[in-house]
Amino acid sequence: MSELSHVSRSNLRQGAVYMLVGLVWGMVIPASPFPRLTLGAHLQLTTHGVMFLVSGLVILHLPFAKGGMSTKILIAGPWLTWPV
């Protein structure tokens, strides 16, 4: 497996997990004591999920420089977005 396909799969996997968590979190909104905060978290998770799914597809289909630092940044992006 090439380095770019590894980065692409990592972003696609993270995007799918973000979408799944965001959709499940959306079902919690009515039962939450603070529904506006829960709605904000739901929107953030689904938006980031779509963003990482698109970035995974872009990385897979467009030619990028195969550098060690750029792949580390592209892999670290989804992981560093979880605390948000």
Side-chain angles (χ1 to χ4, degrees), residues 14-40:
Q14 285 283 345
V17 171
Y18 269 95
M19 287 297 295
L20 178 66
V21 172
L23 292 174
V24 169
W25 195 255
M27 292 187 289
V28 178
I29 294 171
S32 171
F34 303 106
R36 289 183 183 178
L37 290 174
T38 313
L39 178 63

PDB file of all heavy atoms in Angstrom, residues 14-40:
ATOM      1  N   GLN A  14     -11.642   8.061   9.292  1.00  0.00           N
ATOM      2  CA  GLN A  14     -11.973   9.060  10.308  1.00  0.00           C
ATOM      3  C   GLN A  14     -13.246   9.819   9.945  1.00  0.00           C
ATOM      4  O   GLN A  14     -14.078  10.101  10.811  1.00  0.00           O
ATOM      5  CB  GLN A  14     -10.819  10.048  10.472  1.00  0.00           C
ATOM      6  CG  GLN A  14      -9.648   9.490  11.218  1.00  0.00           C
ATOM      7  CD  GLN A  14      -9.894   9.428  12.712  1.00  0.00           C
ATOM      8  OE1 GLN A  14     -10.819  10.030  13.249  1.00  0.00           O
ATOM      9  NE2 GLN A  14      -9.053   8.698  13.391  1.00  0.00           N
ATOM     10  N   GLY A  15     -13.405  10.155   8.661  1.00  0.00           N
ATOM     11  CA  GLY A  15     -14.615  10.850   8.225  1.00  0.00           C
ATOM     12  C   GLY A  15     -15.865  10.025   8.460  1.00  0.00           C
ATOM     13  O   GLY A  15     -16.903  10.545   8.890  1.00  0.00           O
ATOM     14  N   ALA A  16     -15.777   8.730   8.184  1.00  0.00           N
ATOM     15  CA  ALA A  16     -16.928   7.854   8.409  1.00  0.00           C
ATOM     16  C   ALA A  16     -17.262   7.754   9.895  1.00  0.00           C
ATOM     17  O   ALA A  16     -18.443   7.766  10.283  1.00  0.00           O
ATOM     18  CB  ALA A  16     -16.644   6.467   7.838  1.00  0.00           C
ATOM     19  N   VAL A  17     -16.239   7.700  10.742  1.00  0.00           N
ATOM     20  CA  VAL A  17     -16.481   7.632  12.190  1.00  0.00           C
ATOM     21  C   VAL A  17     -17.087   8.945  12.689  1.00  0.00           C
ATOM     22  O   VAL A  17     -18.011   8.940  13.507  1.00  0.00           O
ATOM     23  CB  VAL A  17     -15.176   7.289  12.944  1.00  0.00           C
ATOM     24  CG1 VAL A  17     -15.356   7.435  14.441  1.00  0.00           C
ATOM     25  CG2 VAL A  17     -14.722   5.887  12.598  1.00  0.00           C
ATOM     26  N   TYR A  18     -16.574  10.069  12.185  1.00  0.00           N
ATOM     27  CA  TYR A  18     -17.154  11.373  12.552  1.00  0.00           C
ATOM     28  C   TYR A  18     -18.635  11.421  12.167  1.00  0.00           C
ATOM     29  O   TYR A  18     -19.463  11.889  12.943  1.00  0.00           O
ATOM     30  CB  TYR A  18     -16.426  12.512  11.840  1.00  0.00           C
ATOM     31  CG  TYR A  18     -15.261  13.087  12.591  1.00  0.00           C
ATOM     32  CD1 TYR A  18     -13.971  12.647  12.361  1.00  0.00           C
ATOM     33  CD2 TYR A  18     -15.438  14.103  13.512  1.00  0.00           C
ATOM     34  CE1 TYR A  18     -12.893  13.183  13.024  1.00  0.00           C
ATOM     35  CE2 TYR A  18     -14.379  14.654  14.185  1.00  0.00           C
ATOM     36  CZ  TYR A  18     -13.104  14.186  13.944  1.00  0.00           C
ATOM     37  OH  TYR A  18     -12.045  14.725  14.611  1.00  0.00           O
ATOM     38  N   MET A  19     -18.956  10.979  10.967  1.00  0.00           N
ATOM     39  CA  MET A  19     -20.351  11.002  10.520  1.00  0.00           C
ATOM     40  C   MET A  19     -21.219  10.101  11.400  1.00  0.00           C
ATOM     41  O   MET A  19     -22.319  10.492  11.794  1.00  0.00           O
ATOM     42  CB  MET A  19     -20.455  10.555   9.058  1.00  0.00           C
ATOM     43  CG  MET A  19     -19.948  11.578   8.077  1.00  0.00           C
ATOM     44  SD  MET A  19     -20.870  13.109   8.095  1.00  0.00           S
ATOM     45  CE  MET A  19     -22.452  12.561   7.531  1.00  0.00           C
ATOM     46  N   LEU A  20     -20.735   8.910  11.704  1.00  0.00           N
ATOM     47  CA  LEU A  20     -21.499   7.978  12.533  1.00  0.00           C
ATOM     48  C   LEU A  20     -21.745   8.553  13.927  1.00  0.00           C
ATOM     49  O   LEU A  20     -22.875   8.545  14.425  1.00  0.00           O
ATOM     50  CB  LEU A  20     -20.766   6.637  12.636  1.00  0.00           C
ATOM     51  CG  LEU A  20     -21.430   5.583  13.503  1.00  0.00           C
ATOM     52  CD1 LEU A  20     -22.751   5.148  12.870  1.00  0.00           C
ATOM     53  CD2 LEU A  20     -20.510   4.402  13.690  1.00  0.00           C
ATOM     54  N   VAL A  21     -20.701   9.091  14.542  1.00  0.00           N
ATOM     55  CA  VAL A  21     -20.852   9.670  15.882  1.00  0.00           C
ATOM     56  C   VAL A  21     -21.776  10.888  15.832  1.00  0.00           C
ATOM     57  O   VAL A  21     -22.617  11.085  16.706  1.00  0.00           O
ATOM     58  CB  VAL A  21     -19.473  10.033  16.470  1.00  0.00           C
ATOM     59  CG1 VAL A  21     -19.618  10.818  17.760  1.00  0.00           C
ATOM     60  CG2 VAL A  21     -18.656   8.780  16.707  1.00  0.00           C
ATOM     61  N   GLY A  22     -21.643  11.697  14.780  1.00  0.00           N
ATOM     62  CA  GLY A  22     -22.499  12.878  14.655  1.00  0.00           C
ATOM     63  C   GLY A  22     -23.964  12.517  14.484  1.00  0.00           C
ATOM     64  O   GLY A  22     -24.843  13.161  15.053  1.00  0.00           O
ATOM     65  N   LEU A  23     -24.236  11.482  13.705  1.00  0.00           N
ATOM     66  CA  LEU A  23     -25.626  11.076  13.505  1.00  0.00           C
ATOM     67  C   LEU A  23     -26.223  10.448  14.764  1.00  0.00           C
ATOM     68  O   LEU A  23     -27.395  10.687  15.093  1.00  0.00           O
ATOM     69  CB  LEU A  23     -25.720  10.115  12.317  1.00  0.00           C
ATOM     70  CG  LEU A  23     -25.415  10.756  10.964  1.00  0.00           C
ATOM     71  CD1 LEU A  23     -25.387   9.694   9.870  1.00  0.00           C
ATOM     72  CD2 LEU A  23     -26.410  11.839  10.628  1.00  0.00           C
ATOM     73  N   VAL A  24     -25.428   9.669  15.478  1.00  0.00           N
ATOM     74  CA  VAL A  24     -25.910   9.101  16.742  1.00  0.00           C
ATOM     75  C   VAL A  24     -26.109  10.214  17.766  1.00  0.00           C
ATOM     76  O   VAL A  24     -27.091  10.231  18.514  1.00  0.00           O
ATOM     77  CB  VAL A  24     -24.930   8.029  17.264  1.00  0.00           C
ATOM     78  CG1 VAL A  24     -25.262   7.621  18.681  1.00  0.00           C
ATOM     79  CG2 VAL A  24     -24.938   6.818  16.344  1.00  0.00           C
ATOM     80  N   TRP A  25     -25.187  11.178  17.779  1.00  0.00           N
ATOM     81  CA  TRP A  25     -25.300  12.309  18.711  1.00  0.00           C
ATOM     82  C   TRP A  25     -26.544  13.144  18.415  1.00  0.00           C
ATOM     83  O   TRP A  25     -27.130  13.729  19.320  1.00  0.00           O
ATOM     84  CB  TRP A  25     -24.040  13.169  18.609  1.00  0.00           C
ATOM     85  CG  TRP A  25     -23.874  14.121  19.745  1.00  0.00           C
ATOM     86  CD1 TRP A  25     -24.091  15.462  19.702  1.00  0.00           C
ATOM     87  CD2 TRP A  25     -23.485  13.824  21.073  1.00  0.00           C
ATOM     88  NE1 TRP A  25     -23.846  16.014  20.936  1.00  0.00           N
ATOM     89  CE2 TRP A  25     -23.476  15.034  21.797  1.00  0.00           C
ATOM     90  CE3 TRP A  25     -23.146  12.643  21.735  1.00  0.00           C
ATOM     91  CZ2 TRP A  25     -23.134  15.085  23.140  1.00  0.00           C
ATOM     92  CZ3 TRP A  25     -22.809  12.712  23.061  1.00  0.00           C
ATOM     93  CH2 TRP A  25     -22.807  13.918  23.751  1.00  0.00           C
ATOM     94  N   GLY A  26     -26.965  13.177  17.162  1.00  0.00           N
ATOM     95  CA  GLY A  26     -28.166  13.915  16.798  1.00  0.00           C
ATOM     96  C   GLY A  26     -29.424  13.359  17.439  1.00  0.00           C
ATOM     97  O   GLY A  26     -30.385  14.097  17.672  1.00  0.00           O
ATOM     98  N   MET A  27     -29.425  12.063  17.741  1.00  0.00           N
ATOM     99  CA  MET A  27     -30.589  11.466  18.396  1.00  0.00           C
ATOM    100  C   MET A  27     -30.657  11.827  19.882  1.00  0.00           C
ATOM    101  O   MET A  27     -31.691  11.663  20.512  1.00  0.00           O
ATOM    102  CB  MET A  27     -30.558   9.944  18.229  1.00  0.00           C
ATOM    103  CG  MET A  27     -30.773   9.503  16.791  1.00  0.00           C
ATOM    104  SD  MET A  27     -30.948   7.733  16.596  1.00  0.00           S
ATOM    105  CE  MET A  27     -29.292   7.181  16.911  1.00  0.00           C
ATOM    106  N   VAL A  28     -29.557  12.324  20.435  1.00  0.00           N
ATOM    107  CA  VAL A  28     -29.502  12.677  21.853  1.00  0.00           C
ATOM    108  C   VAL A  28     -30.022  14.092  22.089  1.00  0.00           C
ATOM    109  O   VAL A  28     -30.344  14.459  23.221  1.00  0.00           O
ATOM    110  CB  VAL A  28     -28.040  12.540  22.356  1.00  0.00           C
ATOM    111  CG1 VAL A  28     -27.898  12.934  23.805  1.00  0.00           C
ATOM    112  CG2 VAL A  28     -27.542  11.125  22.143  1.00  0.00           C
ATOM    113  N   ILE A  29     -30.137  14.886  21.048  1.00  0.00           N
ATOM    114  CA  ILE A  29     -30.499  16.304  21.189  1.00  0.00           C
ATOM    115  C   ILE A  29     -31.790  16.521  21.986  1.00  0.00           C
ATOM    116  O   ILE A  29     -31.803  17.338  22.907  1.00  0.00           O
ATOM    117  CB  ILE A  29     -30.578  16.987  19.807  1.00  0.00           C
ATOM    118  CG1 ILE A  29     -29.199  17.034  19.169  1.00  0.00           C
ATOM    119  CG2 ILE A  29     -31.151  18.394  19.908  1.00  0.00           C
ATOM    120  CD1 ILE A  29     -29.194  17.499  17.728  1.00  0.00           C
ATOM    121  N   PRO A  30     -32.898  15.820  21.702  1.00  0.00           N
ATOM    122  CA  PRO A  30     -34.129  16.093  22.463  1.00  0.00           C
ATOM    123  C   PRO A  30     -34.033  15.752  23.949  1.00  0.00           C
ATOM    124  O   PRO A  30     -34.702  16.373  24.782  1.00  0.00           O
ATOM    125  CB  PRO A  30     -35.175  15.203  21.791  1.00  0.00           C
ATOM    126  CG  PRO A  30     -34.630  14.899  20.450  1.00  0.00           C
ATOM    127  CD  PRO A  30     -33.151  14.897  20.595  1.00  0.00           C
ATOM    128  N   ALA A  31     -33.192  14.779  24.309  1.00  0.00           N
ATOM    129  CA  ALA A  31     -33.097  14.364  25.708  1.00  0.00           C
ATOM    130  C   ALA A  31     -32.062  15.155  26.493  1.00  0.00           C
ATOM    131  O   ALA A  31     -31.917  14.961  27.697  1.00  0.00           O
ATOM    132  CB  ALA A  31     -32.746  12.879  25.777  1.00  0.00           C
ATOM    133  N   SER A  32     -31.358  16.044  25.841  1.00  0.00           N
ATOM    134  CA  SER A  32     -30.279  16.782  26.483  1.00  0.00           C
ATOM    135  C   SER A  32     -30.831  17.931  27.318  1.00  0.00           C
ATOM    136  O   SER A  32     -31.793  18.589  26.944  1.00  0.00           O
ATOM    137  CB  SER A  32     -29.342  17.334  25.419  1.00  0.00           C
ATOM    138  OG  SER A  32     -28.417  18.213  25.974  1.00  0.00           O
ATOM    139  N   PRO A  33     -30.178  18.238  28.447  1.00  0.00           N
ATOM    140  CA  PRO A  33     -30.617  19.404  29.231  1.00  0.00           C
ATOM    141  C   PRO A  33     -30.254  20.725  28.550  1.00  0.00           C
ATOM    142  O   PRO A  33     -30.875  21.748  28.819  1.00  0.00           O
ATOM    143  CB  PRO A  33     -29.879  19.248  30.562  1.00  0.00           C
ATOM    144  CG  PRO A  33     -28.746  18.341  30.284  1.00  0.00           C
ATOM    145  CD  PRO A  33     -29.147  17.470  29.140  1.00  0.00           C
ATOM    146  N   PHE A  34     -29.246  20.706  27.669  1.00  0.00           N
ATOM    147  CA  PHE A  34     -28.834  21.889  26.917  1.00  0.00           C
ATOM    148  C   PHE A  34     -28.852  21.559  25.431  1.00  0.00           C
ATOM    149  O   PHE A  34     -27.814  21.256  24.829  1.00  0.00           O
ATOM    150  CB  PHE A  34     -27.432  22.344  27.337  1.00  0.00           C
ATOM    151  CG  PHE A  34     -27.311  22.644  28.798  1.00  0.00           C
ATOM    152  CD1 PHE A  34     -26.652  21.782  29.642  1.00  0.00           C
ATOM    153  CD2 PHE A  34     -27.891  23.785  29.325  1.00  0.00           C
ATOM    154  CE1 PHE A  34     -26.542  22.049  30.984  1.00  0.00           C
ATOM    155  CE2 PHE A  34     -27.791  24.065  30.670  1.00  0.00           C
ATOM    156  CZ  PHE A  34     -27.122  23.194  31.510  1.00  0.00           C
ATOM    157  N   PRO A  35     -30.031  21.608  24.806  1.00  0.00           N
ATOM    158  CA  PRO A  35     -30.142  21.140  23.424  1.00  0.00           C
ATOM    159  C   PRO A  35     -29.346  21.965  22.414  1.00  0.00           C
ATOM    160  O   PRO A  35     -28.908  21.438  21.401  1.00  0.00           O
ATOM    161  CB  PRO A  35     -31.636  21.193  23.131  1.00  0.00           C
ATOM    162  CG  PRO A  35     -32.229  22.026  24.189  1.00  0.00           C
ATOM    163  CD  PRO A  35     -31.314  22.001  25.348  1.00  0.00           C
ATOM    164  N   ARG A  36     -29.122  23.239  22.687  1.00  0.00           N
ATOM    165  CA  ARG A  36     -28.365  24.050  21.726  1.00  0.00           C
ATOM    166  C   ARG A  36     -26.899  23.634  21.692  1.00  0.00           C
ATOM    167  O   ARG A  36     -26.277  23.629  20.630  1.00  0.00           O
ATOM    168  CB  ARG A  36     -28.483  25.534  22.052  1.00  0.00           C
ATOM    169  CG  ARG A  36     -29.855  26.069  21.766  1.00  0.00           C
ATOM    170  CD  ARG A  36     -29.930  27.538  22.015  1.00  0.00           C
ATOM    171  NE  ARG A  36     -31.298  28.001  21.798  1.00  0.00           N
ATOM    172  CZ  ARG A  36     -31.686  29.231  21.975  1.00  0.00           C
ATOM    173  NH1 ARG A  36     -30.825  30.135  22.389  1.00  0.00           N
ATOM    174  NH2 ARG A  36     -32.935  29.565  21.759  1.00  0.00           N
ATOM    175  N   LEU A  37     -26.339  23.302  22.830  1.00  0.00           N
ATOM    176  CA  LEU A  37     -24.962  22.810  22.858  1.00  0.00           C
ATOM    177  C   LEU A  37     -24.852  21.455  22.170  1.00  0.00           C
ATOM    178  O   LEU A  37     -23.894  21.187  21.450  1.00  0.00           O
ATOM    179  CB  LEU A  37     -24.456  22.710  24.294  1.00  0.00           C
ATOM    180  CG  LEU A  37     -24.202  24.027  25.014  1.00  0.00           C
ATOM    181  CD1 LEU A  37     -23.839  23.776  26.466  1.00  0.00           C
ATOM    182  CD2 LEU A  37     -23.097  24.786  24.316  1.00  0.00           C
ATOM    183  N   THR A  38     -25.830  20.605  22.388  1.00  0.00           N
ATOM    184  CA  THR A  38     -25.830  19.295  21.749  1.00  0.00           C
ATOM    185  C   THR A  38     -25.996  19.431  20.249  1.00  0.00           C
ATOM    186  O   THR A  38     -25.350  18.711  19.483  1.00  0.00           O
ATOM    187  CB  THR A  38     -26.963  18.431  22.338  1.00  0.00           C
ATOM    188  OG1 THR A  38     -26.930  18.521  23.757  1.00  0.00           O
ATOM    189  CG2 THR A  38     -26.817  16.988  21.940  1.00  0.00           C
ATOM    190  N   LEU A  39     -26.825  20.353  19.812  1.00  0.00           N
ATOM    191  CA  LEU A  39     -26.988  20.600  18.383  1.00  0.00           C
ATOM    192  C   LEU A  39     -25.690  21.106  17.772  1.00  0.00           C
ATOM    193  O   LEU A  39     -25.307  20.701  16.669  1.00  0.00           O
ATOM    194  CB  LEU A  39     -28.111  21.604  18.139  1.00  0.00           C
ATOM    195  CG  LEU A  39     -28.369  21.993  16.684  1.00  0.00           C
ATOM    196  CD1 LEU A  39     -28.821  20.782  15.885  1.00  0.00           C
ATOM    197  CD2 LEU A  39     -29.384  23.109  16.608  1.00  0.00           C
ATOM    198  N   GLY A  40     -24.981  21.974  18.483  1.00  0.00           N
ATOM    199  CA  GLY A  40     -23.693  22.460  17.994  1.00  0.00           C
ATOM    200  C   GLY A  40     -22.678  21.337  17.831  1.00  0.00           C
ATOM    201  O   GLY A  40     -21.936  21.294  16.845  1.00  0.00           O
TER     202      GLY A  40
END
